[in-house]
Amino acid sequence: MEDAISDGKPIANSSIPSLKRDQRWLLMIAAAVSSICGLAVELLLGTLASYLVGNQALSYGISVGVFLAAMGLGSYLSQFIAVNQTNSPSLQHELLLVFVKVELLIAPLTAVLPLGLFAVFVRNGSIWLGLFFVTIVLGVLAGLEVPLLTRILELDKGVREALAGVLALDYLGALLGSLAFPILLLPIIGLFPTAFVLGSLPALMVFAIGRRFPRLRPWGYLGLTLGILLFTLAPLAIPISDKLENTLYSGPVITRIQSPYQRIVLTRQGQDVRLFLNGDLQFSTLDEYRYHEALVHPAMSASVGRRRVLVLGGGDGMALREVLKWPEVERVLLIDLDTEVVKLASHHPQLVQVNDNSFSDPRVEVLYADAFIRAPALNETFDVIIADFPDPDQEIIAKLYAEGFYRRLLPRLADKGMFVTQASSPFFAPNVLSCIAATLENVGLLVHPYVIDVPSFGPWGFVLASRRSIQPDTLNLSVSTRFLTPGILHSLFELPGDIKLGNVEVNRLAHPVIVRYQSDPRWAAY
């Protein structure tokens, strides 16, 4: 028998049965579904690894890069499937059968492997090795899908039309998956239930194929059963993952929220309430006042005017509480990216009690936006600007400590105003304090670094900056505090002997060296 394909066109007398129009469209839709699931799984794995270990660049580098490489391997292996059926009338069925089996294998693995990766981390296993294994397995299977569908369709329409149709739907699916995961799936149903929902899609696709291809009907019923089972089990992923997550914290978890930007966890043990963002401790109510008093009051004391204050970050309301102690304050604008953090701090009884219900003060205005973009675009100046950002352990956060950001923010600072930022641990990451000071100096500000001790964190650094020098002996602390005293304030800028400002590079948007400084190996020694 002659080959059924000639010059990219099907031969009319081919013994291979022609596909009906709805069958062709169904297979192309299957390509879109496989791409939706594949892209969303890549993002899911990257988000999970980033949440667990914090290295966002490496997490997404492995999840996306290894997944794509594994897809290439799967695509290569697809040529060895049904090689002895080249001109056989049953070739179409054989390829469809292999595709259906691949989908039925992808479905449960997509659902359970992310949970397995989480369990590996909880048990102190190698998260990177686990991530590599998961992406290889899912990537190879995903790499088989498009070549199999293309081979099926080319038997009927020719290579050119088959490739055009499958790739068009494949790329469209990639777009839908890349948007659906961060906008709908992650914030609405959560990380691990999303894995089960994504796993149910290829199984349900098998059911649809079984309905249109009678010889595959038994496999279709299996796909329907598996799809319904995974979709039904999706809510059960929450208590399972919660139980695993609980082992990561010393105190019982009382609140957990998955926002579009981060995982928010609140724990409580006795009087100690702690807030964690993506697994990193943000504060303990037992000693947070030390951090927030040190962050706010030196800048407020040193400022000539205190009428207008800008707070960047600080969605927990603790820094806001300290700012509002100053009676001269007329307006406070707080810019925070995550609405969920502010909602939690505004309504959770324990947090409202600790932050003195600061968000209800009529002087406060909250703006939900990226401070990197929104703060420099404001049309007013401020007497004090307080930056309470997370530690710069990722490139996306490092931009908030970059020369480019400081230079664009400078016009928002009044001529005699004060800018202050947290500056990580000068003991565990000594070059971060130096880098922030050097970067602020590079934009023309005079810098005054200082260090205090917070039991939950250890020694902690801050950098106060302004266009004029300050005289610590003249600073006046006229508000009530629990930690700061006039004596401590006057000696605050005398750095401990083991804290040295080193020879560091300026942190720039195009060269975020501060991420490397934050990843100092001294962290691992404790």
Side-chain angles (χ1 to χ4, degrees):
M1 186 181 71
E2 294 182 0
D3 195 335
I5 304 297
S6 176
D7 296 327
K9 296 292 184 181
I11 294 177
N13 62 358
S14 170
S15 59
I16 297 176
S18 297
L19 294 172
K20 296 178 181 179
R21 184 178 180 182
D22 60 341
Q23 291 175 326
R24 287 196 299 271
W25 272 107
L26 181 60
L27 295 179
M28 287 192 289
I29 291 172
V33 170
S34 68
S35 187
I36 289 172
C37 296
L39 205 292
V41 166
E42 292 176 39
L43 296 177
L44 186 150
L45 293 174
T47 300
L48 175 59
S50 178
Y51 160 56
L52 295 178
V53 296
N55 193 330
Q56 188 178 52
L58 184 57
S59 297
Y60 281 99
I62 292 178
S63 64
V64 175
V66 175
F67 197 96
L68 291 175
M71 285 182 67
L73 177 60
S75 181
Y76 173 79
L77 294 176
S78 69
Q79 68 180 308
F80 302 108
I81 295 173
V83 292
N84 297 323
Q85 304 280 342
T86 304
N87 298 316
S88 170
S90 64
L91 177 58
Q92 182 189 90
H93 175 73
E94 291 299 324
L95 291 172
L96 270 171
L97 183 59
V98 173
F99 177 77
V100 162
K101 290 179 179 178
V102 168
E103 297 302 279
L104 291 176
L105 187 56
I106 286 177
L109 292 179
T110 296
V112 302
L113 284 181
L115 266 177
L117 186 60
F118 193 20
V120 167
F121 175 80
V122 169
R123 298 295 182 181
N124 295 317
S126 172
I127 184 67
W128 301 121
L129 186 60
L131 180 61
F132 187 84
F133 172 78
V134 171
T135 51
I136 284 288
V137 171
L138 294 178
V140 167
L141 291 173
L144 293 170
E145 294 173 305
V146 169
L148 288 172
L149 290 172
T150 303
R151 288 177 63 187
I152 296 167
L153 288 167
E154 74 180 27
L155 295 174
D156 184 67
K157 298 294 290 182
V159 176
R160 183 172 57 198
E161 292 186 38
L163 277 175
V166 171
L167 292 180
L169 271 295
D170 181 60
Y171 293 142
L172 177 61
L175 172 63
L176 295 177
S178 65
L179 295 177
F181 177 75
I183 296 175
L184 298 175
L185 298 175
L186 181 62
I188 294 177
I189 66 176
L191 195 65
F192 296 108
T194 291
F196 277 77
V197 170
L198 291 174
S200 70
L201 295 182
L204 294 175
M205 200 69 236
V206 169
F207 171 66
I209 291 173
R211 285 178 58 86
R212 300 307 305 149
F213 293 87
R215 295 177 63 185
L216 296 173
R217 191 159 294 163
W219 293 95
Y221 293 137
L222 179 59
L224 177 62
T225 303
L226 181 58
I228 293 175
L229 179 64
L230 292 177
F231 197 84
T232 304
L233 291 177
L236 294 180
I238 297 176
I240 295 174
S241 61
D242 287 351
K243 187 173 182 179
L244 290 170
E245 185 178 44
N246 290 347
T247 64
L248 299 176
Y249 304 102
S250 57
V253 175
I254 57 174
T255 301
R256 55 183 115 231
I257 302 169
Q258 179 64 61
S259 81
Y261 308 103
Q262 56 199 342
R263 181 71 167 174
I264 306 165
V265 172
L266 205 63
T267 69
R268 180 177 183 180
Q269 191 161 24
Q271 297 302 311
D272 185 12
V273 177
R274 298 190 173 206
L275 175 68
F276 296 84
L277 299 181
N278 284 347
D280 294 330
L281 176 65
Q282 302 303 301
F283 66 77
S284 162
T285 54
L286 294 181
D287 57 24
E288 56 77 22
Y289 63 90
R290 282 185 165 231
Y291 171 91
H292 292 103
E293 288 180 7
L295 173 68
V296 171
H297 296 307
M300 297 292 288
S301 299
S303 180
V304 173
R306 306 181 186 95
R307 293 189 302 112
R308 299 179 306 275
V309 179
L310 175 63
V311 179
L312 306 177
D316 53 47
M318 307 301 180
L320 204 56
R321 175 197 64 207
E322 299 301 321
V323 169
L324 294 172
K325 289 180 178 179
W326 292 82
E328 303 95 321
V329 172
E330 298 176 359
R331 164 173 162 77
V332 187
L333 176 61
L334 184 142
I335 302 179
D336 198 283
L337 182 64
D338 200 335
T339 60
E340 295 299 331
V341 173
V342 177
K343 287 179 182 178
L344 183 66
S346 303
H347 298 98
H348 197 282
Q350 277 82 22
L351 297 188
V352 170
Q353 181 181 6
V354 176
N355 65 31
D356 287 345
N357 200 17
S358 56
F359 287 102
S360 67
D361 193 293
R363 294 172 290 176
V364 174
E365 177 186 352
V366 178
L367 183 61
Y368 297 110
D370 183 349
F372 179 81
I373 298 172
R374 193 67 182 89
L378 295 171
N379 294 320
E380 57 185 310
T381 60
F382 297 87
D383 301 306
V384 179
I385 299 178
I386 299 168
D388 190 15
F389 296 128
D391 291 342
D393 56 359
Q394 302 175 22
E395 286 77 4
I396 195 171
I397 299 175
K399 68 180 183 180
L400 300 170
Y401 297 85
E403 178 195 27
F405 175 62
Y406 291 148
R407 200 173 292 280
R408 292 169 57 237
L409 186 64
L410 200 56
R412 306 280 68 79
L413 184 65
D415 289 341
K416 297 181 180 181
M418 291 287 157
F419 172 82
V420 65
T421 178
Q422 78 91 11
S424 191
S425 170
F427 181 79
F428 293 108
N431 284 334
V432 171
L433 179 67
S434 299
C435 180
I436 293 173
T439 303
L440 287 166
E441 280 185 322
N442 209 53
V443 302
L445 296 177
L446 300 175
V447 298
H448 310 276
Y450 57 100
V451 176
I452 60 107
D453 184 69
V454 182
S456 297
F457 297 146
W460 210 257
F462 305 85
V463 179
L464 181 67
S466 63
R467 296 184 179 90
R468 61 182 179 84
S469 62
I470 64 172
Q471 301 299 323
D473 292 343
T474 65
L475 298 182
N476 180 31
L477 186 63
S478 59
V479 298
S480 61
T481 53
R482 297 173 62 187
F483 166 66
L484 277 183
T485 65
I488 293 176
L489 184 61
H490 295 161
S491 62
L492 192 63
F493 301 100
E494 293 184 16
L495 295 179
D498 60 348
I499 304 299
K500 305 292 184 183
L501 298 184
N503 184 20
V504 295
E505 298 178 66
V506 170
N507 186 51
R508 292 186 168 87
L509 293 173
H511 188 43
V513 296
I514 200 168
V515 176
R516 173 162 49 88
Y517 295 148
Q518 179 66 27
S519 303
D520 193 290
R522 295 182 74 174
W523 287 107
Y526 288 82

